[in-house]
Amino acid sequence: MTAVIRPSTGAAYSKLLGVGGYRPKRIVTNEELCTWLDSTDEWIRERSGITERRWAGDDETVVSMAVEASRKALAHAGIAAEQIGAIVLGTITHPFQTPSAAAEVAYLLGATNAGAFDTSAACAGFCYGIAIADGLIRNGTSEYVLNIGVEKLTDFIDKTDRGTGFIFADGAGAVVMGPSAEPAIGPTIWGSDGSQRDVIIAEPDWVTLRREGGDWPVVKMQGQRVFRWAVGEMANVCRQALDAAGVSPEDLDVFIPHQANMRITDAMIRSLHLPEHVVVARDIALQGNTSAASIPLAMARLYENNEVHSGQTALLVGFGAGLVYAAQVVTLP
Ligand code: COA
């Protein structure tokens, strides 16, 4: 006889409750960068919008940065670490194949009741995490979830590579999510295109490195292909997320795209015909591109600058290596 299994039941909806970020102490200006990179301050500003970036020191690891960002998010949310039922941590730069960074972060935070795991969705990692956390809360697996994006990309770039050395940076951002009586997270529009895996790829792989020797793996990027893909496709993904949520560009208060490149952000704004009143996150100028950490870090700065407030409607979109992408409309914590 087949037993009748009682299913889990969760909250009607989920919402963002708090956000926090951690920025490494070291600021690297374009001027300093150009002492080892064959480039100029003017070229970097014009092509990427970056004027300076944050690079982590030896004492600032994927785990330690994630813990600091999470503590701030928990404080903002007014939630204790023991209340967290799951930690979803997006990263591509944790330097251990196993165990996960998330389990160590849970331990260090005192999140003794949390299931914890890492995801690998590069610059879409944070938006993937929102979709996962929304599901965990609504199906009753977890009441509160910590969704973290964290990267120490400087461990995996060639700092003299003219295509990547000026873009990538380090940092962590986190949000606490929990139950809600009202809808506050729109449907996630996501996807992947593995046929373009070579467009952004860390090479060589570990097995090739062990077998054949060679240089430490670094991220290699075909910049123009990424640019064309992002500008051509991501506005459409944003439109689908807005449509799915039943929100028009006029209804939006805030746009927080992955901080890949200021020119990509500007192209998306034009393509979406975003009204003037929409606040746009431009964290990349002072932070650089921190992949999975870029959206929550950008969100945190908007609060620090008093540019946004709780209850506003924001469109998020992440995209990057895979290729992968995800977008959703959320109510700000
Ligand atoms: N500094 C100065 N000059 C540079 C340079 C650098 N770092 N890199 C390239 N150049 C020069 C090239 O030599 C070339 O010069 P030439 O016209 O005299 O031959 C010119 O700039 C154009 O080179 P190209 O490689 O075609 O650069 P680009 O215009 O594609 O710009 C990026 C490079 C990386 C800024 C651009 O491709 C880009 O922004 N791509 C998207 C990357 C991105 O957002 N990644 C994040 C994904 S998550």
Side-chain angles (χ1 to χ4, degrees):
M1 203 180 116
T2 308
V4 177
I5 296 175
R6 189 186 313 123
S8 58
T9 52
Y13 308 107
S14 77
K15 65 180 174 186
L16 305 183
L17 295 168
V19 61
Y22 177 82
R23 298 178 199 277
K25 291 184 276 294
R26 182 176 171 205
I27 296 172
V28 179
T29 62
N30 289 345
E31 196 183 20
E32 183 188 347
L33 195 86
C34 291
T35 60
W36 60 80
L37 185 79
D38 178 14
S39 189
T40 62
D41 172 46
E42 189 189 6
W43 192 94
I44 294 170
R45 281 176 200 253
E46 187 195 305
R47 299 294 176 116
S48 70
I50 300 171
T51 59
E52 60 189 44
R53 74 278 298 137
R54 296 291 183 118
W55 280 6
D58 290 344
D59 59 333
E60 295 169 308
T61 66
V62 163
V63 168
S64 76
M65 293 191 290
V67 167
E68 291 304 315
S70 299
R71 288 205 174 111
K72 289 188 193 164
L74 287 164
H76 186 204
I79 296 293
E82 308 85 70
Q83 290 175 271
I84 296 295
I87 295 182
V88 184
L89 186 151
T91 190
I92 53 167
T93 50
H94 185 46
F96 289 82
Q97 188 77 40
T98 195
S100 70
E104 193 177 348
V105 169
Y107 165 68
L108 293 171
L109 285 173
T112 45
N113 300 306
F117 58 98
D118 296 354
T119 62
S120 175
C123 311
F126 179 76
C127 291
Y128 269 53
I130 287 188
I132 296 166
D134 179 54
L136 291 172
I137 292 163
R138 293 173 66 184
N139 74 23
T141 304
S142 308
E143 189 175 12
Y144 296 101
V145 180
L146 200 46
N147 175 26
I148 305 167
V150 54
E151 302 291 2
K152 191 170 176 181
L153 280 151
T154 50
D155 279 342
F156 295 96
I157 58 169
D158 171 357
K159 290 171 186 157
T160 64
D161 178 356
R162 294 173 101 206
T164 56
F166 65 96
I167 285 188
F168 292 116
D170 308 325
V175 292
V176 176
M177 293 175 60
S180 173
E182 308 291 334
I185 308 284
T188 295
I189 304 299
W190 69 3
S192 64
D193 179 7
S195 74
Q196 299 201 64
R197 67 185 286 278
D198 58 324
V199 175
I200 310 174
I201 188 165
E203 285 181 323
D205 66 85
W206 301 121
V207 176
T208 303
L209 184 69
R210 185 173 61 179
R211 194 186 296 136
E212 297 173 16
D215 294 331
W216 179 251
V218 290
V219 173
K220 293 167 188 162
M221 177 172 72
Q222 297 177 36
Q224 290 198 0
R225 281 182 66 189
V226 178
F227 196 88
R228 279 198 300 273
W229 171 72
V231 167
E233 313 274 336
M234 288 309 107
N236 194 32
V237 170
C238 288
R239 262 189 291 275
Q240 289 178 50
L242 287 167
D243 286 349
V247 170
S248 73
E250 286 69 34
D251 297 330
L252 262 190
D253 301 307
V254 189
F255 180 42
I256 313 179
H258 165 48
Q259 303 291 293
N261 181 315
M262 203 76 89
R263 289 195 299 147
I264 293 176
T265 297
D266 288 332
M268 284 195 287
I269 293 168
R270 284 194 297 275
S271 182
L272 286 167
H273 302 294
L274 286 190
E276 285 283 316
H277 74 260
V278 175
V279 173
V280 177
R282 296 188 178 280
D283 194 47
I284 191 170
L286 301 176
Q287 174 65 46
N289 176 336
T290 55
S291 191
S294 90
I295 293 174
L297 267 175
M299 190 186 287
R301 193 190 292 278
L302 292 174
Y303 280 90
E304 286 156 24
N305 293 350
N306 291 317
E307 291 180 79
V308 298
H309 58 78
S310 175
Q312 287 188 310
T313 304
L315 170 64
L316 316 180
V317 59
F319 49 89
L323 295 173
V324 292
Y325 59 86
Q328 63 266 112
V329 177
V330 303
T331 303
L332 288 182

